[in-house]
Structure formats: C-alpha cells, structure tokens
Amino acid sequence: MPKEQIRKRGRRVRKGDVQNEPETLPEVPTTEINEAVPLSSTATGIHPSRAAFLAGQPVPPPQPQTQGPIGQQEGGADGEGEGAADWTRGSRIDSEFPFGVLDPDVKAYFRNVEEQIKDWEGVSTEGEEREDRQLFLTSVLSELRSHELPTSTDPETSIILERLLPSLNDWGRRVIGDSFGDKWEELIRQRFGSHVVQTWLTLAASTLDREAKNIYPPQQSKQDTSKGSLPKMTELFLNIIDQLLPSFPQLLSSPHSAPPLRLLLLILTPNRDLPSLESSDSIQSGSGLIRSKRSNKFRKNQEVKGKSILGDEEKKDTERKVPQELTGFRKQIRNDLMSKLGEAEWKAMGVDTVGSATVQLLLEFEVEDGDAEKEGSLFDIITEGLITQIKQSPNTKSEAQPYLSTLLQTQTGTRLFESLLSLAPVPVFKALWAAYFVGKLGKLAGHPYANFVTAKGVSRLDKEGIEGLIVEVKGNSGGRGLIKAARTSVLQALVDRSVILEQCQKSVLELLYSCLELPEDKRPDLVPCLMALKTYPPADDVDKEAEATAAAYARQSAWENRRNAKPKAAEGEILPNMQGCLILQGMMGMGQVNTTVLESLIVQPLPTLLTYAKSPISSHLFDKVFTNSAVPPKYRRKVMMLFMDSWKELVEDRIGSRVVDTFWDKADGYMKEKIARTLISHIVVLGQSQYAKYFMKKAELSLLSRRPDEWREKVVGVKHHFAHQKVTPAPASAQSHAQIQVEGEGEAENKKRKKEDKKDEIDLLFDGVEGKKKKKSKRNKE
C-alpha cells in the first residue's frame, strides 16, 4: 500500500468540532539538498554532489531513475499513490530459491512424511512392518521425483530430506545424487542446500567404500542398459570434482560452500574418520572442521537423529577405502589451489573465520603427503619463509614475523597457530617455539587467546623446555595471575606432559604451590585451593582484585548461560571449579607426587568430602582415585574408610550413588561386606529412594541379611571352607547304574529337592511346626 494511503494514528475528530487550521511556521533556511540517490555506486565511492562540492563545481542535476517499481512509473497517469503492485521476482528470491519455490501441496505432503519419520527413526523392525516401511520409502521417493532441487533449498523441506537420506540404500543415494545433475555449485552456495549436500556426501562415503570392494546393490545387475544406466557413486564424484574444481578458490571463502568442500577432501582421504550424522556424536574430532556449532545446534533442536527408519545401523569400517579412480584427486586439488592463490590470499584466509578451517585441513594433508618441508609450500607461506630459512641457513636464529605474532593475539588466528605447532616437523617446531614463545612465556601463559596456543606447544616439549617454561612462569609474579584470571590451560598441559614424560613432576608441583601462594606449613590445603581455584590465604583475608575478577567473570558467564541456570553457592560456601578439578584429576597420574595430593585429600573434614562426592564436577576426582593405576592401593582403602558412616547419605544422592558404584567395583570382598552391612538396617528407606534402589539391587542387601554364605559366594565369589562337605559327588559308574534302574524315582526325587531348595527360612519354620503336630497325633493314636 502506498505511504499516502496509510491511516494516521490520532484522536478521532467529531462532526461538531471546529477544526482550526494549523498555523504556518516560518521556513528556516537549510543547507540540505534533496536529490535522488544514484542507483550505482561510483568508482570513488563518493556521492556526485559531494564530489562536485569538493571540486568547486556546480551541483549536477538529479539523474532520473531508469529502473523502478511499476507503481512509481504509472503513478503520474493514474493519480498519486495508485500504482500497480510489483510481482516480479527480485534478487533475494533468486538467491534463496535458485530452483524455484516448492508447491504448497508438496510441502504439506512432506510435513506429514516428517512426522512419520520421527516416529520410526532409529527403531528396529522385522517382518511385515519392515515391508510397510520399505513401501513407504518407495512412495516418498516417487513423490520426490523431479522435486529434488527445490526440496533441497527450501527452508522447511531441506531438513526433511536430511532425515530421509539415512534410510536409503546405495541405490537410492545414487538416484538422489544423479538427480542433482550439474547443479552442485548452486546447491552448495545455498544455505540449506549445502547442509543437504553434507549429509549426502557423508552417506556416499560408505557407498564408495563398498564400490572399492566390488560390492554393489542388487538393482545394479537388473537395470536395463538400453534405456540408460544409473551412474555409479565413483562416476558421480568424478562429475562433482569436474564441476567444482574451476571455482574451488572462490567457493572456499563462502560460509555455505566451504564445509561441503572440506568434507569432500576428507572423503578423498582413505582411512580417515568422518563426522557422524547422529546428534549424540556431534562433538568429536574433526566435526568442527565440517559443521559449525550453530549447525549442530540447529540439528539438535530439530531432533535429527541421522538414523534409518528401517532400524539398520551402518557399520563403521575403520579401514575406509577409496576407489582407485579418486585416490589422486586430493593432491591434485591442493596443487591447483597453490597455483591459483597467492601468499597474501593464503594469509588472509588463515585469519578468516571461514577460511581458517580450510587452511588447517590443507596443512594436515600437506604433512601427510610429505610436502611440508619444501620451499614454497603452504607451511612455508604461513610461517613467512621459515622453511626456506631453515633449509638455506640452519644455524641462523629465526626472528618473529608480524603475521604469526598477530595470529597469537586473535581468536581465529590461534586455531591456525595451534595447527602449526601440532603438525610442524621437529626442526620447524623448535624454531617456532624459540622465536615466538621463549622469553615471553610468562605473559603468553596468561593471555586470553595465546594461552591455548602455549598449552598446545607444551604437549611437544622435552624436559629442558618444561624446566625453562616453569622458570619463566614463576618469574611473572610467581604465576598467581594464572589462578586469579582462571587461565589454567598451561598448568593443565604441564601436568599432562609430566605424566607422559615421567619427569619434572616435582617441579610442576612446586609451580602449583607458587601459583596458589601456599606456604610450606599450609601444604595440606592444596586440594581445597585447587578445587576452588583460589589462592591462599583463606576467606578472612580476601584478595579484592581476585574477587573483582571472579565476580566479573561470573556475571558474564551468567548472562551467556542465562537459559541454563546453575546452582548458586550459599553464603560462605565455595563451589568446586571445573578447571581446578581437571588439574587434580591429572595429578592422580603423577606417580612421583600424587601421594602429596592424596594426603591433602584425606585430611579434609568429612562434610567437605561429602560435598565433593555429591558435586557433578568434583566427584570425578574420586573416580580417578579408584581407576588410575598410579594411585597406591592403600589410599583407596583410606578413602573408603572415611565414608564408612556416610554410605546411606551418599547412596541416596544422585551423584553420590555413582561414586558409591565406583567404590563398590574396586573394593575387595572384605570392604564390600563392610559397606553392605552398614546399609542393612536402612533397607526399607533405601528401597523407597529414587537412586539408592539400584545400588540395593546391585549389592544384594536382602540376600546378605538372610543367607550370608550364599551372598559371599554370589557377590564376593568366595565359597565357604565346608562347602565341599555338603555335597559328595558319587562315582560315574554308580550314577549311570542308578539312572538306568530308577529313572522314574530319580525324577520324583529331583522334583522334591527343587521344592526343598526353593523353601526359605519361613517355610522351614512352618515345616518344623507341622512335623511336631504329626508326631503328637501319632502318639495320641497309639
């Protein structure tokens, strides 16, 4: 509707009211010039009137608009504001629906299909029900025919197609891939089409594996070649590569087309694990290079399980093969990209949120192919000629370059730097560490972004490197800033590296004492300080700076996670910290110093230990105490004895019951019986508990209270030393002779014995009373 026809808001005027004409205000001179905005931008980016003003020339007359809505062109003839509507498709429609808008009836049909798939997804089936589902798939595919492209790019139906694809066999996947024809580039450029392509490519990888092993669907031999044959999956991939290879550099910078291309490179790599389609496995190694967190969150909200409606779970082969025709294309694509892109473009892509993941993947492929240490390689470009310098003058000390120094200070660049440190050959890693880290480790360990890169480098250091790092961190205020700012990734990496090397463990422990500012006489407070991630002294001498930093961080995290409310600490209570607990868990593997940590743990008061055992964060520390082989067994026994009077409280708790399960699995027979006997008096209460009833069933508490010997044989696995005297086996010959003579009598006796075995103590008691009655009746008769 034209603007002039829109009804204005205001007070309704009655018929009898006299309307006074508004007074005309005097016009105020202004310097604004009302002129039309040109349709196309100029080469300089400056408005023509502004450019004329700066040049001292008269203002050019406004240019008439050659292209405009039909309503504006016909407005002068039909009257102001009475133009016709513009029904032509604009650029937005062409970009969002490149293959046309899907028919509403087809959309309604696919919505019903989606509801049915949700009910059947991941549910196994057999017999007639399986045939019904196969007929359902056949009918859906027939309706989908000639609508594949619009369905893939529609916001509502694209997710339905993603649900449908895992239910198709190899033949159905080839049919869908063949229907896309030569529109692969348009598909992956579109927002929703790119996700459909990712799902199809992930499923097609298993089909390629079977084709490499000469395994084809039964329809392959039955197709009529006179009317044309369906392309194999290998041929479809060859077609995809031929179409996308010329525009590969441009597609890698697009947020929608880059993830499918990275997935294509992974598929062309044999024996490489691929991201799973199931929402439960979305967080795994390599999934971040393909699907973003936003994409995984969308799939999770839509409840896309990525499973077949037939209930067939596809087996994941660890040795995935690629057909011989496709093995050399990964290197060909990488060489083609190196020839088309220059150094500046590679560096710009490295700091880009979309292109950085692609650069990391190509660096990994370059290392696998053995081309990383060549001059002019991608590794050499990103490190700004470091490979060339090492080859030409290996004794020359390399200096820090501005590009890599910038990577350390940006959120996106740190991911690329981490890949460089983890993938670099040993000489290159030593040169990178010496040029960009040595001498700056005290500050880099506490940097918001660089601390993660430093932690990645620590995982490759030797003993001398770790000792130098510890000295530098101690030199920066003793390292207390790492605890106050809650940046503990370097400390965690040091603990993990010392466990692997089995060296420098005492030095790492001394660094933790320095960071926590623990005096020598307060070393038993190591566990509470690390668990709360706070420096010593206790709460009566509060560090205002640390408290202000912690409060600001808490406010920020509360705002970011406002939809997921977390329990707040009561007044005077300190909740366990995730980062500090992870450090304590890692220290359980430090065989040289873990006794110090365990001594600090067992001297804590019982209420503190119960708080740790009931927390979803700190309870994992007890799991490590009982599962890590480096922990001495005597400390496990001491920890169990500390909870001897509190098993009931732990078993009734949601988290504490899991801790008790861990204790129970690692306890010996004596401790199991001791734990069970402390709970026998609470059987009725525990049976009514939501969590304790599972442990009751596991520990067989009722059996222990009635027949302790049987409980020891069943649960502990210990037989009574008189058990061999209860049943004396007869010789084999005598047994066979008795079976031949009195077979009927033996069966009757076995039935009697079974009935007697089933009797419990109450039945035996009543049997005794009945026996006495029978004896009395016989005496009376006599």
Side-chain angles (χ1 to χ4, degrees):
M1 181 183 294
K3 183 177 180 181
E4 290 77 7
Q5 295 182 2
I6 298 175
R7 180 178 176 181
K8 303 290 178 63
R9 291 179 178 269
R11 186 174 63 88
R12 186 174 182 179
V13 181
R14 298 178 183 178
K15 292 182 179 180
D17 294 346
V18 179
Q19 300 183 19
N20 298 325
E21 295 182 0
E23 299 179 357
T24 57
L25 299 176
E27 295 183 359
V28 181
T30 178
T31 56
E32 295 182 1
I33 301 175
N34 297 324
E35 56 185 14
V37 180
L39 294 176
S40 59
S41 60
T42 58
T44 58
I46 304 176
H47 196 275
S49 60
R50 173 102 179 141
F53 174 76
L54 295 175
Q57 299 176 359
V59 178
Q63 299 178 1
Q65 296 184 2
T66 57
Q67 297 179 356
I70 301 175
Q72 294 182 4
Q73 295 177 4
E74 299 179 356
D78 298 339
E80 187 177 359
E82 295 183 359
D86 181 16
W87 298 103
T88 57
R89 290 174 54 180
S91 58
R92 178 176 176 270
I93 299 295
D94 292 333
S95 61
E96 293 187 359
F97 303 96
F99 306 108
V101 181
L102 199 62
D103 187 76
D105 295 336
V106 180
K107 276 189 179 183
Y109 171 77
F110 279 111
R111 289 194 200 99
N112 296 331
V113 169
E114 182 182 24
E115 295 300 325
Q116 189 63 68
I117 292 177
K118 286 182 180 179
D119 296 338
W120 289 344
E121 203 169 14
V123 180
S124 59
T125 177
E126 294 178 356
E128 294 182 359
E129 187 177 357
R130 184 181 180 88
E131 294 178 1
D132 294 341
R133 296 187 184 183
Q134 289 176 343
L135 291 174
F136 170 78
L137 280 177
T138 304
S139 63
V140 172
L141 289 177
S142 63
E143 290 291 334
L144 183 64
R145 198 61 181 166
S146 73
H147 295 295
E148 293 89 350
L149 291 172
T151 304
S152 303
T153 54
D154 189 271
E156 300 178 18
T157 58
S158 62
I159 194 70
I160 304 174
L161 186 56
E162 286 192 62
R163 292 182 190 273
L164 184 65
L165 285 175
S167 304
L168 304 180
N169 57 4
D170 293 345
W171 185 265
R173 296 168 190 174
R174 287 163 54 183
V175 169
I176 297 294
D178 183 51
S179 65
F180 292 154
D182 56 349
K183 304 295 183 181
W184 291 98
E185 184 173 348
E186 290 86 347
L187 266 177
I188 65 175
R189 283 184 181 273
Q190 209 265 350
R191 175 184 175 186
F192 301 100
S194 65
H195 290 92
V196 174
V197 173
Q198 289 178 50
T199 304
W200 184 85
L201 287 174
T202 305
L203 296 169
S206 57
T207 306
L208 281 177
D209 178 38
R210 285 186 282 272
E211 287 190 1
K213 301 173 183 177
N214 292 324
I215 301 175
Y216 295 94
Q219 294 92 334
Q220 181 71 24
S221 58
K222 299 178 182 179
Q223 61 180 342
D224 188 4
T225 55
S226 61
K227 298 181 181 179
S229 60
L230 184 68
K232 298 180 181 178
M233 191 61 73
T234 306
E235 298 173 359
L236 290 175
F237 267 77
L238 290 172
N239 181 34
I240 293 171
I241 295 172
D242 291 339
Q243 291 183 32
L244 301 181
L245 191 58
S247 55
F248 228 94
Q250 293 79 19
L251 295 174
L252 288 177
S253 59
S254 171
H256 302 315
S257 59
L261 295 183
R262 292 196 292 267
L263 181 57
L264 177 62
L265 292 173
L266 286 178
I267 292 173
L268 296 177
T269 306
N271 302 328
R272 180 65 185 261
D273 293 334
L274 300 178
S276 176
L277 293 176
E278 299 181 15
S279 57
S280 58
D281 300 336
S282 60
I283 303 175
Q284 58 178 335
S285 60
S287 61
L289 293 175
I290 306 303
R291 284 190 183 269
S292 62
K293 293 181 180 179
R294 186 177 178 183
S295 173
N296 287 326
K297 186 177 181 181
F298 175 77
R299 287 171 59 87
K300 188 176 181 180
N301 293 336
Q302 295 291 328
E303 298 180 357
V304 181
K305 298 179 181 178
K307 296 182 179 180
S308 172
I309 64 173
L310 301 176
D312 301 332
E313 293 186 3
E314 194 163 349
K315 297 181 180 179
K316 296 181 179 179
D317 195 352
T318 54
E319 297 181 357
R320 186 176 58 84
K321 294 185 179 181
V322 177
Q324 190 68 28
E325 297 87 347
L326 301 174
T327 51
F329 275 101
R330 191 193 74 177
K331 190 171 184 179
Q332 178 182 343
I333 293 172
R334 188 170 57 81
N335 294 333
D336 187 69
L337 289 173
M338 291 297 298
S339 62
K340 291 181 179 179
L341 295 177
E343 294 185 7
E345 293 170 316
W346 282 116
K347 292 180 181 179
M349 192 182 295
V351 296
D352 183 58
T353 54
V354 178
S356 180
T358 305
V359 176
Q360 296 173 43
L361 195 63
L362 292 174
L363 285 173
E364 185 177 349
F365 294 155
E366 194 174 62
V367 172
E368 290 181 4
D369 295 338
D371 299 334
E373 296 186 74
K374 296 181 180 179
E375 298 182 10
S377 62
L378 181 58
F379 221 104
D380 192 23
I381 293 173
I382 299 298
T383 56
E384 297 191 282
L386 184 61
I387 304 289
T388 305
Q389 181 183 350
I390 294 175
K391 287 228 173 204
Q392 295 178 355
S393 52
N395 298 326
T396 305
K397 184 179 179 180
S398 57
E399 297 181 357
Q401 300 296 326
Y403 178 71
L404 288 180
S405 300
T406 307
L407 291 182
L408 279 172
Q409 302 174 6
T410 58
Q411 187 174 4
T412 307
T414 51
R415 302 292 183 90
L416 179 57
F417 213 127
E418 288 180 25
S419 298
L420 290 175
L421 291 178
S422 59
L423 297 173
V426 177
V428 181
F429 170 77
K430 291 182 178 179
L432 285 172
W433 187 261
Y436 296 94
F437 294 91
V438 174
K440 311 169 188 175
L441 290 169
K443 293 183 178 179
L444 292 177
H447 192 273
Y449 304 132
N451 71 90
F452 299 106
V453 186
T454 309
K456 181 66 70 173
V458 170
S459 62
R460 296 190 62 179
L461 289 180
D462 53 4
K463 180 181 178 181
E464 296 179 359
I466 291 177
E467 294 289 351
L469 172 60
I470 292 174
V471 171
E472 288 194 39
V473 173
K474 282 186 177 180
N476 188 10
S477 302
R480 62 181 181 181
L482 303 181
I483 301 297
K484 291 180 178 180
R487 297 190 178 111
T488 58
S489 58
V490 175
L491 298 177
Q492 181 72 49
L494 282 171
V495 171
D496 296 339
R497 187 60 178 168
S498 64
V499 172
I500 295 174
L501 295 178
E502 297 182 356
Q503 296 176 338
C504 307
Q505 296 182 1
K506 294 183 179 179
S507 301
V508 173
L509 181 62
E510 291 297 328
L511 175 62
L512 291 173
Y513 285 147
S514 176
C515 293
L516 296 170
E517 298 181 335
L518 272 175
E520 292 187 3
D521 56 336
K522 300 295 182 181
R523 297 296 168 85
D525 292 334
L526 173 65
V527 170
C529 289
L530 260 182
M531 189 67 77
L533 204 66
K534 291 185 178 292
T535 57
Y536 195 86
D540 55 349
D541 187 11
V542 178
D543 190 341
K544 295 182 179 180
E545 181 184 354
E547 291 298 323
T549 304
Y553 178 76
R555 287 194 298 271
Q556 181 183 358
S557 60
W559 171 253
E560 293 175 351
N561 305 316
R562 57 191 179 276
R563 296 184 179 179
N564 301 325
K566 295 182 180 180
K568 296 183 179 179
E571 187 175 355
E573 183 185 3
I574 300 177
L575 293 178
N577 184 274
M578 175 70 76
Q579 296 160 298
C581 184
L582 288 174
I583 294 176
L584 287 171
Q585 293 178 44
M587 294 180 73
M588 290 297 103
M590 301 169 67
Q592 301 174 6
V593 298
N594 60 2
T595 55
T596 305
V597 184
L598 291 167
E599 289 290 345
S600 174
L601 178 63
I602 61 178
V603 298
Q604 301 306 315
L606 183 59
T608 303
L609 294 176
L610 288 174
T611 303
Y612 291 165
K614 295 179 182 179
S615 170
I617 295 175
S618 56
S619 61
H620 293 281
L621 176 60
F622 292 104
D623 295 340
K624 285 293 181 181
V625 170
F626 281 83
T627 57
N628 199 310
S629 59
V631 177
K634 66 177 182 179
Y635 286 101
R636 298 174 183 169
R637 192 179 187 87
K638 287 182 179 180
V639 171
M640 285 190 286
M641 294 301 294
L642 291 173
F643 292 105
M644 194 53 64
D645 297 331
S646 306
W647 293 118
K648 177 179 176 294
E649 183 178 353
L650 278 179
V651 167
E652 291 179 332
D653 185 72
R654 179 175 67 92
I655 304 298
S657 59
R658 300 179 183 179
V659 175
V660 176
D661 288 339
T662 305
F663 289 178
W664 183 265
D665 294 338
K666 297 298 179 181
D668 56 5
Y670 173 76
M671 287 303 300
K672 283 184 177 179
E673 185 171 355
K674 201 163 187 177
I675 293 171
R677 289 197 177 278
T678 59
L679 297 173
I680 287 179
S681 58
H682 308 288
I683 286 181
V684 179
V685 180
L686 296 180
Q688 299 173 354
S689 174
Q690 182 180 1
Y691 306 106
K693 60 183 180 181
Y694 299 105
F695 179 77
M696 247 188 80
K697 186 177 181 181
K698 183 178 183 180
E700 299 279 357
L701 297 182
S702 59
L703 181 62
L704 176 62
S705 62
R706 292 186 288 109
R707 293 190 289 273
D709 293 340
E710 291 185 20
W711 181 88
R712 294 188 187 97
E713 292 180 10
K714 183 176 181 180
V715 178
V716 183
V718 177
K719 291 186 177 182
H720 196 270
H721 58 282
F722 293 118
H724 64 282
Q725 297 180 4
K726 293 182 180 179
V727 180
T728 54
S733 59
Q735 288 180 359
S736 60
H737 183 68
Q739 288 177 1
I740 295 172
Q741 285 185 343
V742 285
E743 184 176 355
E745 295 179 1
E747 291 179 358
E749 290 177 359
N750 289 335
K751 291 181 180 179
K752 291 181 180 179
R753 287 175 185 173
K754 289 181 180 178
K755 290 182 179 178
E756 292 177 358
D757 291 341
K758 291 181 181 179
K759 295 180 180 179
D760 56 3
E761 294 177 355
I762 297 175
D763 296 333
L764 295 175
L765 180 63
F766 279 103
D767 290 344
V769 174
E770 291 177 358
K772 291 179 181 179
K773 289 182 179 179
K774 290 179 180 179
K775 289 180 181 179
K776 287 182 180 180
S777 62
K778 286 181 180 180
R779 290 175 184 176
N780 292 333
K781 288 180 180 179
E782 290 175 357

